[in-house]
Amino acid sequence: MVDKNEISGGAKELGGKVKEGLGKLVGNDRLQAEGLADQAEGKTEKNYGKVKDAAKDTLGSKH
C-alpha cells in the first residue's frame, strides 16, 4: 500500500523538477534553486512515507 506521504512527496519532487527546468529555460537562478529545494523536500517526504509504510508492514506481519 502506498502511503500518502509517498504520493505527496512524489508530486512535490515532480513539481520541483518542472520549476528547476523552467528556471533553466528562462535563466532565473532563484526559480532553479527553488526547484532543487522542492525536489529535495519531495524526496525526503517520499522516503519518509516508504519507511512508514515498511514499518506498518513489518509490525502488521507480527500480529
Side-chain angles (χ1 to χ4, degrees):
M1 175 148 204
V2 177
D3 184 81
K4 67 179 181 178
N5 293 101
E6 287 182 69
I7 295 168
S8 175
K12 189 171 286 187
E13 187 178 1
L14 180 61
K17 287 180 182 184
V18 170
K19 194 183 277 189
E20 178 193 10
L22 185 58
K24 282 181 181 179
L25 183 66
V26 299
N28 186 327
D29 292 338
R30 183 173 150 221
L31 188 61
Q32 200 173 344
E34 286 177 10
L36 290 170
D38 287 351
Q39 287 177 63
E41 188 177 334
K43 283 180 186 178
T44 301
E45 186 175 352
K46 188 167 64 172
N47 288 333
Y48 169 72
K50 287 180 182 180
V51 169
K52 204 165 81 171
D53 200 28
K56 283 182 192 175
D57 289 345
T58 301
L59 293 174
S61 65
K62 291 184 178 183
H63 292 287

